[in-house]
Amino acid sequence: MKATIAILGLALIAGGAISAPITFDFKDPKGVNNIVFKTDAPLESINGTGNGISGTVAFDPQNPAATAGKIVLQTSSLHVGNPMMKEHLHGGMWMDVKKYPEISFELGSLKNVKTAGDVTTADALGKLTMKGVTREITTPVKITFLKDKLKARSMKAGDLLVLRSSFTVKRSDYGINASQGEDKVSNDIEISLSVAGSAPRDS
Amino acid sequence: MRLRQGLRWLALAIVLCAAGYWLAAGANRGWTKTTRDRIEKDPITEITFPVRENHFSPGIDVVAGAFFVAGVLAISSLFASRKNNT
Protein backbone atom coordinates (compact mmCIF):
# COMPACT_ATOMS: atom_id res chain seq x y z
CA MET A 1 0.00 0.00 0.00
CA LYS A 2 2.78 2.38 0.95
CA ALA A 3 4.65 1.47 -2.21
CA THR A 4 1.56 2.20 -4.32
CA ILE A 5 1.14 5.62 -2.70
CA ALA A 6 4.83 6.37 -3.22
CA ILE A 7 4.61 5.38 -6.89
CA LEU A 8 1.47 7.47 -7.34
CA GLY A 9 3.19 10.39 -5.62
CA LEU A 10 6.23 10.09 -7.85
CA ALA A 11 4.01 9.85 -10.91
CA LEU A 12 2.16 13.02 -9.88
CA ILE A 13 5.42 14.86 -9.24
CA ALA A 14 6.82 13.68 -12.57
CA GLY A 15 3.60 14.60 -14.32
CA GLY A 16 3.66 18.00 -12.66
CA ALA A 17 7.24 18.56 -13.75
CA ILE A 18 6.41 17.70 -17.35
CA SER A 19 3.34 19.92 -17.53
CA ALA A 20 4.73 22.80 -15.50
CA PRO A 21 4.55 26.09 -17.37
CA ILE A 22 7.77 27.39 -18.84
CA THR A 23 8.54 31.06 -18.34
CA PHE A 24 9.81 32.82 -21.46
CA ASP A 25 11.71 36.08 -21.32
CA PHE A 26 10.96 38.40 -24.24
CA LYS A 27 13.91 40.72 -23.78
CA ASP A 28 15.61 40.41 -27.12
CA PRO A 29 19.29 41.30 -27.51
CA LYS A 30 19.16 40.39 -31.21
CA GLY A 31 16.61 43.11 -31.98
CA VAL A 32 14.29 40.73 -33.79
CA ASN A 33 11.18 41.33 -31.69
CA ASN A 34 9.14 44.09 -33.20
CA ILE A 35 5.83 45.73 -33.67
CA VAL A 36 4.72 47.43 -36.87
CA PHE A 37 2.03 50.09 -36.79
CA LYS A 38 0.17 51.71 -39.63
CA THR A 39 -2.34 54.49 -39.95
CA ASP A 40 -4.05 54.96 -43.27
CA ALA A 41 -5.72 58.36 -43.53
CA PRO A 42 -7.09 60.01 -46.69
CA LEU A 43 -4.17 62.46 -46.93
CA GLU A 44 -1.39 60.42 -45.47
CA SER A 45 -0.35 56.86 -44.78
CA ILE A 46 2.14 56.41 -41.96
CA ASN A 47 4.12 53.27 -41.20
CA GLY A 48 6.30 52.86 -38.17
CA THR A 49 8.02 50.29 -36.03
CA GLY A 50 8.96 49.66 -32.44
CA ASN A 51 11.52 47.22 -31.07
CA GLY A 52 12.02 47.97 -27.38
CA ILE A 53 10.18 44.86 -26.26
CA SER A 54 10.40 43.01 -22.96
CA GLY A 55 8.14 40.97 -20.68
CA THR A 56 7.55 37.40 -19.65
CA VAL A 57 5.03 34.77 -20.66
CA ALA A 58 4.36 31.49 -18.89
CA PHE A 59 3.45 28.79 -21.40
CA ASP A 60 2.61 25.18 -20.73
CA PRO A 61 3.01 23.02 -23.85
CA GLN A 62 0.57 20.51 -22.33
CA ASN A 63 -1.97 23.19 -21.57
CA PRO A 64 -1.63 26.20 -23.90
CA ALA A 65 -4.96 27.60 -22.69
CA ALA A 66 -3.30 28.44 -19.37
CA THR A 67 -0.82 30.83 -21.02
CA ALA A 68 -0.33 34.02 -19.01
CA GLY A 69 2.02 36.93 -19.06
CA LYS A 70 2.76 40.48 -20.05
CA ILE A 71 4.47 42.06 -23.04
CA VAL A 72 5.89 45.57 -22.70
CA LEU A 73 7.01 48.01 -25.40
CA GLN A 74 9.25 50.98 -24.62
CA THR A 75 7.36 53.88 -26.15
CA SER A 76 10.62 55.67 -26.97
CA SER A 77 11.50 52.86 -29.39
CA LEU A 78 8.64 53.85 -31.71
CA HIS A 79 10.15 55.00 -34.98
CA VAL A 80 9.04 56.56 -38.24
CA GLY A 81 11.32 57.55 -41.11
CA ASN A 82 10.71 61.30 -40.98
CA PRO A 83 12.60 62.95 -38.07
CA MET A 84 10.03 65.70 -37.52
CA MET A 85 7.19 63.22 -37.56
CA LYS A 86 9.08 61.10 -35.04
CA GLU A 87 9.54 64.13 -32.80
CA HIS A 88 5.79 64.74 -32.94
CA LEU A 89 5.05 61.06 -32.33
CA HIS A 90 7.15 61.10 -29.16
CA GLY A 91 5.81 64.47 -28.05
CA GLY A 92 3.09 65.34 -25.56
CA MET A 93 0.28 65.56 -28.11
CA TRP A 94 0.81 62.02 -29.32
CA MET A 95 2.56 59.29 -27.31
CA ASP A 96 4.20 61.52 -24.67
CA VAL A 97 7.08 59.10 -24.16
CA LYS A 98 8.49 60.95 -21.15
CA LYS A 99 5.28 60.69 -19.17
CA TYR A 100 4.19 57.29 -20.53
CA PRO A 101 7.39 55.32 -21.20
CA GLU A 102 5.65 51.98 -21.70
CA ILE A 103 2.83 50.35 -23.63
CA SER A 104 1.83 47.01 -22.20
CA PHE A 105 -0.46 44.10 -22.89
CA GLU A 106 -1.33 41.86 -19.97
CA LEU A 107 -2.81 38.56 -21.02
CA GLY A 108 -5.84 37.56 -19.00
CA SER A 109 -6.99 34.39 -20.71
CA LEU A 110 -7.14 32.55 -24.00
CA LYS A 111 -10.40 31.57 -25.68
CA ASN A 112 -11.11 29.39 -28.73
CA VAL A 113 -7.80 27.62 -28.25
CA LYS A 114 -6.78 25.31 -31.08
CA THR A 115 -3.51 23.42 -31.06
CA ALA A 116 -1.97 21.59 -33.99
CA GLY A 117 1.52 20.29 -33.35
CA ASP A 118 3.61 23.12 -31.92
CA VAL A 119 1.26 25.84 -33.09
CA THR A 120 -1.60 27.19 -31.01
CA THR A 121 -4.10 29.75 -32.20
CA ALA A 122 -6.50 31.50 -29.88
CA ASP A 123 -8.25 34.72 -29.03
CA ALA A 124 -6.28 36.51 -26.35
CA LEU A 125 -8.27 38.52 -23.83
CA GLY A 126 -6.22 41.04 -21.96
CA LYS A 127 -5.59 44.59 -20.86
CA LEU A 128 -3.85 46.95 -23.23
CA THR A 129 -2.40 50.02 -21.53
CA MET A 130 -1.39 52.94 -23.69
CA LYS A 131 -0.78 56.52 -22.61
CA GLY A 132 -2.09 55.75 -19.15
CA VAL A 133 -5.40 54.33 -20.38
CA THR A 134 -6.16 50.65 -19.83
CA ARG A 135 -8.76 48.86 -21.91
CA GLU A 136 -9.83 45.27 -22.28
CA ILE A 137 -9.22 43.99 -25.79
CA THR A 138 -9.50 40.69 -27.59
CA THR A 139 -6.94 39.90 -30.24
CA PRO A 140 -6.17 36.81 -32.30
CA VAL A 141 -2.84 35.29 -31.37
CA LYS A 142 -0.65 32.58 -32.87
CA ILE A 143 1.71 30.87 -30.46
CA THR A 144 4.53 28.69 -31.78
CA PHE A 145 6.44 26.57 -29.30
CA LEU A 146 9.94 25.77 -30.55
CA LYS A 147 11.26 23.11 -28.25
CA ASP A 148 15.05 22.95 -27.88
CA LYS A 149 15.53 25.67 -30.51
CA LEU A 150 17.23 28.19 -28.24
CA LYS A 151 20.59 26.53 -28.78
CA ALA A 152 20.45 27.34 -32.48
CA ARG A 153 20.08 30.98 -31.55
CA SER A 154 22.24 31.59 -28.53
CA MET A 155 24.26 28.43 -27.82
CA LYS A 156 22.25 27.84 -24.64
CA ALA A 157 19.96 24.87 -24.16
CA GLY A 158 16.32 25.80 -23.93
CA ASP A 159 13.11 26.57 -25.76
CA LEU A 160 11.71 29.44 -27.76
CA LEU A 161 8.17 30.77 -27.88
CA VAL A 162 6.99 32.88 -30.80
CA LEU A 163 3.93 35.09 -30.50
CA ARG A 164 2.26 36.76 -33.46
CA SER A 165 -0.77 38.96 -33.41
CA SER A 166 -2.42 41.59 -35.56
CA PHE A 167 -5.13 43.89 -34.29
CA THR A 168 -6.55 47.37 -34.60
CA VAL A 169 -7.02 49.95 -31.87
CA LYS A 170 -8.68 53.33 -31.95
CA ARG A 171 -6.36 56.11 -30.82
CA SER A 172 -9.33 58.07 -29.50
CA ASP A 173 -9.93 55.23 -27.01
CA TYR A 174 -6.51 55.92 -25.50
CA GLY A 175 -6.57 59.71 -25.60
CA ILE A 176 -3.90 59.88 -28.30
CA ASN A 177 -4.38 63.36 -29.74
CA ALA A 178 -8.11 62.74 -30.00
CA SER A 179 -8.66 66.33 -31.15
CA GLN A 180 -6.55 65.79 -34.28
CA GLY A 181 -8.75 65.20 -37.31
CA GLU A 182 -8.63 61.94 -39.19
CA ASP A 183 -7.60 63.38 -42.54
CA LYS A 184 -3.87 62.98 -41.81
CA VAL A 185 -3.84 60.36 -39.06
CA SER A 186 -6.63 57.81 -39.02
CA ASN A 187 -8.36 56.91 -35.78
CA ASP A 188 -7.70 53.23 -36.46
CA ILE A 189 -4.14 52.12 -35.81
CA GLU A 190 -3.24 48.73 -37.25
CA ILE A 191 -0.70 46.93 -35.11
CA SER A 192 1.23 43.75 -35.89
CA LEU A 193 3.26 42.10 -33.16
CA SER A 194 5.98 39.51 -33.81
CA VAL A 195 8.01 38.51 -30.78
CA ALA A 196 10.05 35.57 -29.58
CA GLY A 197 10.83 34.70 -25.99
CA SER A 198 13.51 32.39 -24.69
CA ALA A 199 13.58 29.97 -21.79
CA PRO A 200 17.09 28.71 -21.14
CA ARG A 201 17.47 25.66 -18.98
CA ASP A 202 20.32 23.84 -17.34
CA SER A 203 21.33 21.00 -19.61
CA MET B 1 18.96 92.36 -68.29
CA ARG B 2 21.74 89.91 -67.47
CA LEU B 3 20.56 89.65 -63.84
CA ARG B 4 16.96 89.05 -64.90
CA GLN B 5 17.92 86.21 -67.22
CA GLY B 6 20.36 84.80 -64.69
CA LEU B 7 17.66 84.61 -62.01
CA ARG B 8 15.26 82.87 -64.39
CA TRP B 9 17.87 80.34 -65.53
CA LEU B 10 18.75 79.71 -61.89
CA ALA B 11 15.07 79.16 -61.03
CA LEU B 12 14.71 76.72 -63.91
CA ALA B 13 17.87 74.90 -62.88
CA ILE B 14 16.65 74.55 -59.30
CA VAL B 15 13.30 73.12 -60.46
CA LEU B 16 14.94 70.67 -62.85
CA CYS B 17 17.60 69.58 -60.36
CA ALA B 18 15.08 69.10 -57.56
CA ALA B 19 12.64 67.18 -59.75
CA GLY B 20 15.43 65.07 -61.23
CA TYR B 21 16.93 64.32 -57.82
CA TRP B 22 13.50 63.44 -56.43
CA LEU B 23 12.77 61.09 -59.35
CA ALA B 24 16.22 59.50 -59.22
CA ALA B 25 15.92 58.95 -55.46
CA GLY B 26 12.73 56.93 -55.85
CA ALA B 27 9.96 59.53 -56.23
CA ASN B 28 8.91 59.32 -52.57
CA ARG B 29 5.44 60.90 -52.47
CA GLY B 30 5.46 61.16 -48.68
CA TRP B 31 7.55 63.36 -46.40
CA THR B 32 11.33 63.26 -46.53
CA LYS B 33 12.79 60.29 -44.67
CA THR B 34 16.24 59.97 -43.17
CA THR B 35 16.04 56.24 -42.46
CA ARG B 36 14.65 53.21 -44.20
CA ASP B 37 13.89 49.69 -43.06
CA ARG B 38 15.40 46.65 -44.67
CA ILE B 39 13.29 43.59 -43.90
CA GLU B 40 15.10 40.47 -42.71
CA LYS B 41 13.86 37.11 -41.52
CA ASP B 42 15.14 35.32 -38.45
CA PRO B 43 15.91 31.77 -39.63
CA ILE B 44 15.01 30.14 -36.31
CA THR B 45 11.79 31.90 -35.34
CA GLU B 46 10.86 32.97 -38.90
CA ILE B 47 10.00 36.41 -37.58
CA THR B 48 10.39 39.14 -40.16
CA PHE B 49 11.90 42.25 -38.64
CA PRO B 50 13.02 45.67 -39.83
CA VAL B 51 16.69 46.58 -39.80
CA ARG B 52 17.04 50.35 -39.75
CA GLU B 53 19.48 52.04 -42.11
CA ASN B 54 20.37 55.69 -42.51
CA HIS B 55 19.15 56.69 -45.92
CA PHE B 56 18.05 60.09 -47.17
CA SER B 57 14.94 59.85 -49.29
CA PRO B 58 13.68 63.27 -50.45
CA GLY B 59 9.94 63.68 -50.23
CA ILE B 60 7.43 66.09 -51.70
CA ASP B 61 8.48 68.68 -49.11
CA VAL B 62 11.91 68.91 -50.78
CA VAL B 63 10.31 69.33 -54.21
CA ALA B 64 7.84 71.89 -52.84
CA GLY B 65 10.68 73.79 -51.17
CA ALA B 66 12.67 73.86 -54.42
CA PHE B 67 9.62 75.07 -56.36
CA PHE B 68 9.07 77.79 -53.76
CA VAL B 69 12.67 79.02 -53.99
CA ALA B 70 12.47 78.89 -57.80
CA GLY B 71 9.24 80.88 -57.68
CA VAL B 72 10.83 83.52 -55.45
CA LEU B 73 13.76 83.81 -57.86
CA ALA B 74 11.44 84.03 -60.88
CA ILE B 75 9.37 86.78 -59.25
CA SER B 76 12.54 88.58 -58.19
CA SER B 77 13.64 88.54 -61.81
CA LEU B 78 10.60 90.67 -62.69
CA PHE B 79 11.68 93.34 -60.22
CA ALA B 80 15.26 93.14 -61.45
CA SER B 81 14.00 93.72 -64.94
CA ARG B 82 12.05 96.82 -63.89
CA LYS B 83 15.06 98.24 -62.11
CA ASN B 84 17.18 97.74 -65.19
CA ASN B 85 14.58 99.41 -67.40
CA THR B 86 14.30 102.58 -65.30
Side-chain angles (χ1 to χ4, degrees):
Chain A
M1 186 64 183
K2 279 182 182 175
T4 309
I5 291 169
I7 289 166
L8 276 172
L10 281 171
L12 282 171
I13 290 166
I18 289 166
S19 65
I22 306 166
T23 300
F24 291 85
D25 184 358
F26 282 77
K27 205 163 206 174
D28 172 30
K30 288 189 177 288
V32 168
N33 289 350
N34 71 92
I35 69 137
V36 176
F37 64 92
K38 184 180 178 185
T39 76
D40 199 3
L43 293 180
E44 208 169 344
S45 179
I46 300 167
N47 294 296
T49 57
N51 58 7
I53 288 166
S54 60
T56 56
V57 169
F59 176 80
D60 183 349
Q62 306 300 318
N63 184 18
T67 304
K70 186 177 180 181
I71 299 292
V72 177
L73 171 74
Q74 295 298 317
T75 321
S76 59
S77 75
L78 292 173
H79 178 84
V80 288
N82 181 274
M84 190 179 287
M85 196 182 284
K86 184 178 175 180
E87 200 178 311
H88 290 171
L89 174 68
H90 286 196
M93 296 282 279
W94 293 92
M95 297 310 296
D96 201 351
V97 301
K98 285 182 183 164
K99 194 172 178 185
Y100 305 103
E102 290 181 351
I103 295 169
S104 66
F105 178 74
E106 191 165 3
L107 177 62
S109 61
L110 293 181
K111 303 284 181 197
N112 304 322
V113 180
K114 290 172 190 160
T115 300
D118 293 335
V119 178
T120 298
T121 57
D123 292 327
L125 281 70
K127 291 176 181 174
L128 178 66
T129 302
M130 224 174 358
K131 215 179 174 186
V133 177
T134 301
R135 284 184 174 268
E136 294 263 359
I137 66 162
T138 303
T139 170
V141 65
K142 182 180 174 187
I143 304 169
T144 308
F145 176 59
L146 300 172
K147 188 170 172 56
D148 297 326
K149 289 285 186 182
L150 181 59
K151 198 161 195 175
R153 220 181 177 207
S154 68
M155 304 307 287
K156 287 179 191 169
D159 307 318
L160 291 169
L161 190 73
V162 181
L163 305 180
R164 289 185 177 88
S165 182
S166 294
F167 55 99
T168 301
V169 296
K170 293 191 182 300
R171 63 182 172 87
S172 58
D173 287 347
Y174 296 88
I176 300 169
N177 205 357
S179 61
Q180 163 82 42
E182 294 178 30
D183 51 345
K184 288 181 182 172
V185 182
S186 60
N187 194 26
D188 287 345
I189 305 171
E190 295 168 35
I191 298 171
S192 294
L193 172 82
S194 305
V195 295
S198 58
R201 63 168 173 268
D202 298 326
S203 53
Chain B
M1 194 70 173
R2 198 179 297 163
L3 179 62
R4 188 188 73 171
Q5 281 191 339
L7 286 170
R8 287 179 180 175
W9 278 113
L10 184 60
L12 182 65
I14 287 171
V15 166
L16 290 176
C17 284
Y21 175 48
W22 178 73
L23 283 170
N28 168 24
R29 286 177 290 172
W31 299 108
T32 295
K33 294 174 181 167
T34 55
T35 60
R36 70 176 171 193
D37 290 333
R38 180 166 42 82
I39 302 300
E40 288 193 3
K41 190 173 186 178
D42 182 68
I44 311 299
T45 61
E46 297 190 338
I47 289 176
T48 53
F49 61 100
V51 177
R52 198 171 302 153
E53 295 174 335
N54 289 329
H55 176 81
F56 186 78
S57 173
I60 52 167
D61 47 330
V62 167
V63 179
F67 273 69
F68 176 77
V69 171
V72 169
L73 289 173
I75 291 166
S76 301
S77 75
L78 298 175
F79 291 104
S81 163
R82 282 177 193 163
K83 279 179 187 171
N84 286 346
N85 289 340
T86 53

